[in-house]
Amino acid sequence: MRLILVGPPGAGKGTQAQFLSAHYSIPHISTGDIFRANLKAGTELGNQAKAFMDRGELVPDSVTNDMVKDRLTHDDVANGFLLDGYPRNVAQAEVLRAFLAEAKTPLQAALELAIASDEIIKRLSSRRTCRGCGASNEAGATNCASCNGNDLYQREDDKEEVIARRLEVYEEQTAPIISFYRSEGLLITIPAVGTVAEITEHAITALGRL
Ligand code: ADP
Ligand code: ZN
């Protein structure tokens, strides 16, 4: 299965990606997670990305596209992949399409998690991220629901000032990829409401019709 997840920040892409990647036995490739791991490790890539991430802006395409293309040549993608957080604008979507066409492994679906904007702000500002595994948790939790680690923190870009900018960037730059994938005949939209398990179930049912 070769799949991308689309939807605004806070739609639950990362959470659903964990379950879907386990279900289909495909790697979960999150550009946000890769950038954060590089920040933490203090790599050159992390340094390049930091200022953009802190402001809620997109990291330049030249940096991001190369990073994803490199990741998509690893052995573990033989069975497919689930991309989360990429592509994030139409230019990235075109680069991905060309890259996959060349490899004769075109995308099979773009799964859109749809959610209302007032709900997004609520979710993001109460989100606490696990430093150990990257999973999202609710504010007030003391241990991570995924790995039971106890180092939960609020991402710099989940602070209220930055959330507003991320939503603007989403509307202006990322939302247009929804029409792009609709016209490619790849778009599958499901409402991102209900429990995590209900949404996963819904996604698997929708993808099952492929
Ligand atoms: P979100 O919760 O907004 O989906 P992510 O963890 O996917 O957050 O991304 C966090 C930040 O990493 C983004 O605001 C952006 O700065 C950078 N980033 C992630 N993916 C991309 C991408 N495909 N292109 C450019 N920047 C990206
Ligand atoms: Zn964890």
Side-chain angles (χ1 to χ4, degrees):
M1 171 84 72
R2 294 179 299 276
L3 177 66
I4 66 163
L5 283 183
V6 197
K13 297 188 299 294
T15 304
Q16 290 304 322
Q18 286 186 340
F19 290 100
L20 294 172
S21 82
H23 181 83
Y24 294 109
S25 303
I26 49 177
H28 168 204
I29 303 175
S30 158
T31 45
D33 285 353
I34 299 175
F35 284 134
R36 277 184 292 279
N38 277 276
L39 273 183
K40 193 171 157 188
T43 68
E44 175 61 30
L45 180 66
N47 295 340
Q48 284 177 317
K50 184 177 187 331
F52 298 98
M53 294 178 74
D54 285 349
R55 290 198 302 267
E57 310 274 342
L58 297 188
V59 176
D61 287 352
S62 53
V63 175
T64 308
N65 287 329
D66 284 352
M67 177 180 91
V68 172
K69 286 198 247 179
D70 176 72
R71 179 64 186 84
L72 288 176
T73 58
H74 293 195
D75 290 342
D76 65 348
V77 301
N79 203 16
F81 53 80
L82 196 176
L83 275 171
D84 160 19
Y86 181 94
R88 232 181 179 88
N89 59 34
V90 172
Q92 292 181 6
E94 308 260 20
V95 166
L96 179 66
R97 178 174 58 185
F99 179 81
L100 295 176
E102 175 84 15
K104 302 205 163 41
T105 53
L107 219 52
Q108 292 167 292
L111 182 69
E112 179 195 3
L113 298 179
I115 177 182
S117 52
D118 50 344
E119 178 68 20
I120 298 175
I121 299 174
K122 242 182 10 211
R123 287 194 194 180
L124 287 178
S125 50
S126 68
R127 171 162 82 177
R128 297 297 178 269
T129 302
C130 174
R131 227 182 272 281
C133 77
S136 296
N137 290 271
E138 282 287 307
T142 50
N143 289 75
C144 172
S146 289
C147 74
N148 202 39
N150 63 1
D151 193 359
L152 303 180
Y153 74 109
Q154 183 171 39
R155 270 169 47 180
E156 213 43 59
D157 61 349
D158 278 346
K159 302 199 167 140
E160 219 157 300
E161 321 80 78
V162 187
I163 292 175
R165 181 61 191 142
R166 280 164 70 206
L167 292 177
E168 250 172 44
V169 168
Y170 178 78
E171 283 308 323
E172 288 167 13
Q173 302 185 50
T174 308
I177 71 173
I178 292 173
S179 323
F180 175 93
Y181 285 115
R182 187 181 292 117
S183 66
E184 298 263 298
L186 293 173
L187 190 71
I188 298 176
T189 303
I190 64 168
V193 291
T195 65
V196 168
E198 281 164 358
I199 299 169
T200 308
E201 197 56 48
H202 197 154
I204 290 168
T205 307
L207 290 167
R209 285 187 232 112
L210 276 181

